[in-house]
RNA sequence: GCGGAUUUAGCUCAGUUGGUUAGAGCGCUGGUUUGUGGUACCAGAUGUCGUGAGUUCGAGUCUCAUAAUCCGCCCCA
């Protein structure tokens, strides 16, 4: 048999996995900093539950199978499981409910650059009953902003828009019946030439004049304040449009109020998101110098999370970071710093096997002091032990030999600087910690 | 679901018009007289040339089939 890992599934060596896990930890920590509570849901659900909300392509991409009498499926995102979760436990939850979830999701699509069949999504959502304050739309921005800053990634921008603005505009043009198709096309405007854009609108049976108006509309650019001013100057009386505009203004001003650098947020009227359940604010995040990564974090506001599962209304807003893709692209572009093959901070080596007891005792002491440490027990030349220490990139090396044993102390070597000194146990713990 | 490309050592790849025992760099193992790594030098191991069939005196090289992988489109993180 041939041994291989399935295509579209990421598998890492320890050096990379350590960095991946650190990123995950930074994301989780930041989510908690903003008061989001962790939840976890099963990878498998009843197929009916997962497919209830989907339309079109989701069904083709979902992994599903029969086990006994149960028709099961693997989750393809964390939002539908959340909808189920809220429907099940809303009487036990306190609203507004802020939750985060970091987990793997599964999509049986064709793998290619930046596309995996199994990947981590790092989701946050804020859910409330009946009404959800628009301020949370700004808070979501603050979370993305903080996470990306803490991850020390390249310069990024969060592009935002409000779907009500575009759908209201379409209503004012009296072409609202084509909204879904038009939004999907608008989403592609950066990828296709303007002529093709107009051509496709024409193919939908829309009149040329309105298509040009639409193109000019989504091309409105400038600073956030300039775009808002231009939108106001259009004097469109459509209610949807005006509501969207007001929401967008609030989100921008509250984002500033939350301390976000305004350079990192850009209104872009062509951002619509493909998924149809978004109803207000929508987000996409790109790196300024790496647009080919695609959106590494996106999401938006939806009117009713659990509509398919229950009658009650639960509006929410949320985003998701595609961690697997993010990691993959950063690694391919040498944007990650890899530290070493081990989480250990210290490695103990001995001059000869007779000092093994001392070494083993020492790592016990270090571990009790919360210092991850190990001893090299393989009986080999001293030089080999040094090479091993070097290869795993251990920060601190501790040497025990005749002299150290006689004086009841240790040689501590900083492997980065090469400096070494003779220290007592107490000094050693202090220095390494 | 549609289209394009690739497949030779652990990795990245070379292999001229088909011609004996298939190569390089990196990595790996060992050594340069045994209490000090990263550099340098020396030595060594590793391939059913994706798989199956065909053409040929002879195939890594040509033909066909098949599989896997990668890249676009669709959709999306």
């Amino acid at each position: 048999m041939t041994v291989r890992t399935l295509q579209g599934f990421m598998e890492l060596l320890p050096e990379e996995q350590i960095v991946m896990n650190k990123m995950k930890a930074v994301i989780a920590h930041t989510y908690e900093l903003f008061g989001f509570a962790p939840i976890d849901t099963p990878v498998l659900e009843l197929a009916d539950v997962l497919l209830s909300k989907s339309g079109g392509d989701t069904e083709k991409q979902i992994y599903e199978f029969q086990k006994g009498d149960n028709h099961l499926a693997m989750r393809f995102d964390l939002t539908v499981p959340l909808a189920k979760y809220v429907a099940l436990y809303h009487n036990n939850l306190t609203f507004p409910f802020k939750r985060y979830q970091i987990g793997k999701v599964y999509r049986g699509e064709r793998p290619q650059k930046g596309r995996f069949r199994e990947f981590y999504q790092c989701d946050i959502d804020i859910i409330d009953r009946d009404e959800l304050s628009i301020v949370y739309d700004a808070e979501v921005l603050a979370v993305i902003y903080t996470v990306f800053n803490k991850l020390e990634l390249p310069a990024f921008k969060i592009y935002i828009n409000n779907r009500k603005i575009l759908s209201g505009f379409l209503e004012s043009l009296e072409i609202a019946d084509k909204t879904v198709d038009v939004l999907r096309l608008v989403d592609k405007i950066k990828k296709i030439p303007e002529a093709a854009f107009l051509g496709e609108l024409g193919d939908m049976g829309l009149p040329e004049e309105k298509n040009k108006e639409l193109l000019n509309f989504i091309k409105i650019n400038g600073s956030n304040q300039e775009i808002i001013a231009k939108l106001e100057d259009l004097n469109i009386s459509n209610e949807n449009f005006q509501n969207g505009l007001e929401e967008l203004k609030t989100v921008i001003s509250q984002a500033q109020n939350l301390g976000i650098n305004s350079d990192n947020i850009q209104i872009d009227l062509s951002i619509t998101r493909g998924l149809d359940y978004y109803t207000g604010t929508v987000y996409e995040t790109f790196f300024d110098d790496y647009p080919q990564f695609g959106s590494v974090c996106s999401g938006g506001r939806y009117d009713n999370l659990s509509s398919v599962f229950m009658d009650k209304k639960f509006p929410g807003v949320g985003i998701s970071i595609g961690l697997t893709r993010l990691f993959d692209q950063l690694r391919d572009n040498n944007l990650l710093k890899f530290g070493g093959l081990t989480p250990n901070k210290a490695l103990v080596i001995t001059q000869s096997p007779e000092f093994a007891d001392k070494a083993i005792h020492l790592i016990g002491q270090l571990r009790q002091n919360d210092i991850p440490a190990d001893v090299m027990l393989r009986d080999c030349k001293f030089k080999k032990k040094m090479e091993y220490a070097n290869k795993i990139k251990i920060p601190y090396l501790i040497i025990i030999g005749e002299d150290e044993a006689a004086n009841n102390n240790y040689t501590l070597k900083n492997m980065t600087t090469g400096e070494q000194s003779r220290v007592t146990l107490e000094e050693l713990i202090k220095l390494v910690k």
Side-chain angles (χ1 to χ4, degrees), chain A residues 175-190:
Chain A
I175 54 174
D177 55 317
K178 295 275 199 272
T179 299
V180 173
D181 292 333
V182 171
L183 288 186
R184 191 158 292 163
L185 184 62
V186 167
D187 204 39
K188 284 187 220 163
I189 186 67
K190 291 194 188 71

PDB file of all heavy atoms in Angstrom, chain A residues 175-190:
ATOM      1  N   ILE A 175     -34.281  47.520  -9.981  1.00  0.00           N
ATOM      2  CA  ILE A 175     -33.812  46.224 -10.489  1.00  0.00           C
ATOM      3  C   ILE A 175     -33.574  45.278  -9.318  1.00  0.00           C
ATOM      4  O   ILE A 175     -32.731  44.387  -9.363  1.00  0.00           O
ATOM      5  CB  ILE A 175     -32.529  46.360 -11.350  1.00  0.00           C
ATOM      6  CG1 ILE A 175     -31.437  47.117 -10.582  1.00  0.00           C
ATOM      7  CG2 ILE A 175     -32.829  47.031 -12.662  1.00  0.00           C
ATOM      8  CD1 ILE A 175     -30.105  47.153 -11.328  1.00  0.00           C
ATOM      9  N   ALA A 176     -34.352  45.464  -8.257  1.00  0.00           N
ATOM     10  CA  ALA A 176     -34.135  44.718  -7.017  1.00  0.00           C
ATOM     11  C   ALA A 176     -34.387  43.220  -7.178  1.00  0.00           C
ATOM     12  O   ALA A 176     -33.853  42.415  -6.414  1.00  0.00           O
ATOM     13  CB  ALA A 176     -35.022  45.276  -5.909  1.00  0.00           C
ATOM     14  N   ASP A 177     -35.192  42.839  -8.162  1.00  0.00           N
ATOM     15  CA  ASP A 177     -35.490  41.410  -8.319  1.00  0.00           C
ATOM     16  C   ASP A 177     -34.255  40.603  -8.698  1.00  0.00           C
ATOM     17  O   ASP A 177     -34.227  39.387  -8.544  1.00  0.00           O
ATOM     18  CB  ASP A 177     -36.595  41.224  -9.371  1.00  0.00           C
ATOM     19  CG  ASP A 177     -36.250  41.884 -10.698  1.00  0.00           C
ATOM     20  OD1 ASP A 177     -35.742  43.024 -10.672  1.00  0.00           O
ATOM     21  OD2 ASP A 177     -36.444  41.252 -11.744  1.00  0.00           O
ATOM     22  N   LYS A 178     -33.215  41.295  -9.169  1.00  0.00           N
ATOM     23  CA  LYS A 178     -31.986  40.579  -9.533  1.00  0.00           C
ATOM     24  C   LYS A 178     -30.904  40.720  -8.458  1.00  0.00           C
ATOM     25  O   LYS A 178     -29.738  40.430  -8.706  1.00  0.00           O
ATOM     26  CB  LYS A 178     -31.441  41.149 -10.854  1.00  0.00           C
ATOM     27  CG  LYS A 178     -32.345  40.908 -12.058  1.00  0.00           C
ATOM     28  CD  LYS A 178     -32.077  39.541 -12.670  1.00  0.00           C
ATOM     29  CE  LYS A 178     -32.592  39.458 -14.093  1.00  0.00           C
ATOM     30  NZ  LYS A 178     -33.998  39.042 -14.172  1.00  0.00           N
ATOM     31  N   THR A 179     -31.297  41.164  -7.262  1.00  0.00           N
ATOM     32  CA  THR A 179     -30.310  41.519  -6.242  1.00  0.00           C
ATOM     33  C   THR A 179     -29.275  40.420  -5.991  1.00  0.00           C
ATOM     34  O   THR A 179     -28.071  40.680  -5.965  1.00  0.00           O
ATOM     35  CB  THR A 179     -31.006  41.874  -4.916  1.00  0.00           C
ATOM     36  OG1 THR A 179     -31.851  43.004  -5.143  1.00  0.00           O
ATOM     37  CG2 THR A 179     -29.989  42.248  -3.849  1.00  0.00           C
ATOM     38  N   VAL A 180     -29.734  39.182  -5.804  1.00  0.00           N
ATOM     39  CA  VAL A 180     -28.813  38.098  -5.451  1.00  0.00           C
ATOM     40  C   VAL A 180     -27.735  37.917  -6.515  1.00  0.00           C
ATOM     41  O   VAL A 180     -26.541  37.851  -6.228  1.00  0.00           O
ATOM     42  CB  VAL A 180     -29.586  36.773  -5.234  1.00  0.00           C
ATOM     43  CG1 VAL A 180     -28.607  35.622  -5.028  1.00  0.00           C
ATOM     44  CG2 VAL A 180     -30.508  36.904  -4.029  1.00  0.00           C
ATOM     45  N   ASP A 181     -28.170  37.862  -7.778  1.00  0.00           N
ATOM     46  CA  ASP A 181     -27.213  37.682  -8.863  1.00  0.00           C
ATOM     47  C   ASP A 181     -26.281  38.882  -8.997  1.00  0.00           C
ATOM     48  O   ASP A 181     -25.083  38.732  -9.233  1.00  0.00           O
ATOM     49  CB  ASP A 181     -27.955  37.468 -10.191  1.00  0.00           C
ATOM     50  CG  ASP A 181     -28.695  36.140 -10.207  1.00  0.00           C
ATOM     51  OD1 ASP A 181     -28.249  35.223  -9.485  1.00  0.00           O
ATOM     52  OD2 ASP A 181     -29.707  36.036 -10.910  1.00  0.00           O
ATOM     53  N   VAL A 182     -26.854  40.056  -8.846  1.00  0.00           N
ATOM     54  CA  VAL A 182     -26.057  41.268  -9.002  1.00  0.00           C
ATOM     55  C   VAL A 182     -25.000  41.355  -7.901  1.00  0.00           C
ATOM     56  O   VAL A 182     -23.833  41.655  -8.163  1.00  0.00           O
ATOM     57  CB  VAL A 182     -26.952  42.528  -8.991  1.00  0.00           C
ATOM     58  CG1 VAL A 182     -26.090  43.787  -8.935  1.00  0.00           C
ATOM     59  CG2 VAL A 182     -27.834  42.563 -10.227  1.00  0.00           C
ATOM     60  N   LEU A 183     -25.404  41.053  -6.667  1.00  0.00           N
ATOM     61  CA  LEU A 183     -24.439  41.112  -5.565  1.00  0.00           C
ATOM     62  C   LEU A 183     -23.273  40.165  -5.813  1.00  0.00           C
ATOM     63  O   LEU A 183     -22.122  40.485  -5.567  1.00  0.00           O
ATOM     64  CB  LEU A 183     -25.121  40.742  -4.241  1.00  0.00           C
ATOM     65  CG  LEU A 183     -26.086  41.764  -3.638  1.00  0.00           C
ATOM     66  CD1 LEU A 183     -26.558  41.317  -2.270  1.00  0.00           C
ATOM     67  CD2 LEU A 183     -25.443  43.138  -3.542  1.00  0.00           C
ATOM     68  N   ARG A 184     -23.595  38.982  -6.315  1.00  0.00           N
ATOM     69  CA  ARG A 184     -22.553  37.992  -6.580  1.00  0.00           C
ATOM     70  C   ARG A 184     -21.579  38.508  -7.639  1.00  0.00           C
ATOM     71  O   ARG A 184     -20.380  38.322  -7.554  1.00  0.00           O
ATOM     72  CB  ARG A 184     -23.201  36.686  -7.047  1.00  0.00           C
ATOM     73  CG  ARG A 184     -22.241  35.519  -7.099  1.00  0.00           C
ATOM     74  CD  ARG A 184     -22.980  34.205  -7.025  1.00  0.00           C
ATOM     75  NE  ARG A 184     -23.600  34.004  -5.735  1.00  0.00           N
ATOM     76  CZ  ARG A 184     -24.561  33.104  -5.501  1.00  0.00           C
ATOM     77  NH1 ARG A 184     -24.999  32.356  -6.480  1.00  0.00           N
ATOM     78  NH2 ARG A 184     -25.068  32.956  -4.304  1.00  0.00           N
ATOM     79  N   LEU A 185     -22.138  39.185  -8.622  1.00  0.00           N
ATOM     80  CA  LEU A 185     -21.305  39.726  -9.696  1.00  0.00           C
ATOM     81  C   LEU A 185     -20.459  40.897  -9.193  1.00  0.00           C
ATOM     82  O   LEU A 185     -19.274  41.004  -9.508  1.00  0.00           O
ATOM     83  CB  LEU A 185     -22.193  40.158 -10.866  1.00  0.00           C
ATOM     84  CG  LEU A 185     -21.461  40.648 -12.112  1.00  0.00           C
ATOM     85  CD1 LEU A 185     -20.592  39.547 -12.692  1.00  0.00           C
ATOM     86  CD2 LEU A 185     -22.458  41.139 -13.157  1.00  0.00           C
ATOM     87  N   VAL A 186     -21.077  41.740  -8.383  1.00  0.00           N
ATOM     88  CA  VAL A 186     -20.368  42.899  -7.832  1.00  0.00           C
ATOM     89  C   VAL A 186     -19.138  42.435  -7.051  1.00  0.00           C
ATOM     90  O   VAL A 186     -18.060  43.041  -7.105  1.00  0.00           O
ATOM     91  CB  VAL A 186     -21.307  43.715  -6.910  1.00  0.00           C
ATOM     92  CG1 VAL A 186     -20.511  44.717  -6.076  1.00  0.00           C
ATOM     93  CG2 VAL A 186     -22.356  44.431  -7.746  1.00  0.00           C
ATOM     94  N   ASP A 187     -19.303  41.311  -6.361  1.00  0.00           N
ATOM     95  CA  ASP A 187     -18.218  40.742  -5.568  1.00  0.00           C
ATOM     96  C   ASP A 187     -16.988  40.451  -6.428  1.00  0.00           C
ATOM     97  O   ASP A 187     -15.867  40.396  -5.936  1.00  0.00           O
ATOM     98  CB  ASP A 187     -18.736  39.450  -4.917  1.00  0.00           C
ATOM     99  CG  ASP A 187     -17.949  39.103  -3.670  1.00  0.00           C
ATOM    100  OD1 ASP A 187     -17.605  40.033  -2.921  1.00  0.00           O
ATOM    101  OD2 ASP A 187     -17.685  37.912  -3.458  1.00  0.00           O
ATOM    102  N   LYS A 188     -17.201  40.261  -7.711  1.00  0.00           N
ATOM    103  CA  LYS A 188     -16.098  39.873  -8.602  1.00  0.00           C
ATOM    104  C   LYS A 188     -15.474  41.037  -9.344  1.00  0.00           C
ATOM    105  O   LYS A 188     -14.562  40.835 -10.148  1.00  0.00           O
ATOM    106  CB  LYS A 188     -16.632  38.895  -9.659  1.00  0.00           C
ATOM    107  CG  LYS A 188     -16.855  37.511  -9.164  1.00  0.00           C
ATOM    108  CD  LYS A 188     -17.206  36.639 -10.352  1.00  0.00           C
ATOM    109  CE  LYS A 188     -18.305  35.673  -9.994  1.00  0.00           C
ATOM    110  NZ  LYS A 188     -18.956  35.101 -11.157  1.00  0.00           N
ATOM    111  N   ILE A 189     -15.967  42.232  -9.084  1.00  0.00           N
ATOM    112  CA  ILE A 189     -15.577  43.364  -9.926  1.00  0.00           C
ATOM    113  C   ILE A 189     -14.064  43.568  -9.994  1.00  0.00           C
ATOM    114  O   ILE A 189     -13.527  44.007 -11.001  1.00  0.00           O
ATOM    115  CB  ILE A 189     -16.277  44.670  -9.438  1.00  0.00           C
ATOM    116  CG1 ILE A 189     -15.993  45.829 -10.400  1.00  0.00           C
ATOM    117  CG2 ILE A 189     -15.827  45.033  -8.046  1.00  0.00           C
ATOM    118  CD1 ILE A 189     -16.609  45.674 -11.753  1.00  0.00           C
ATOM    119  N   LYS A 190     -13.345  43.203  -8.924  1.00  0.00           N
ATOM    120  CA  LYS A 190     -11.893  43.410  -8.926  1.00  0.00           C
ATOM    121  C   LYS A 190     -11.186  42.378  -9.808  1.00  0.00           C
ATOM    122  O   LYS A 190     -10.039  42.555 -10.186  1.00  0.00           O
ATOM    123  CB  LYS A 190     -11.341  43.332  -7.502  1.00  0.00           C
ATOM    124  CG  LYS A 190     -11.767  44.511  -6.643  1.00  0.00           C
ATOM    125  CD  LYS A 190     -10.938  44.571  -5.362  1.00  0.00           C
ATOM    126  CE  LYS A 190     -11.486  45.617  -4.419  1.00  0.00           C
ATOM    127  NZ  LYS A 190     -12.776  45.216  -3.816  1.00  0.00           N
TER     128      LYS A 190
END
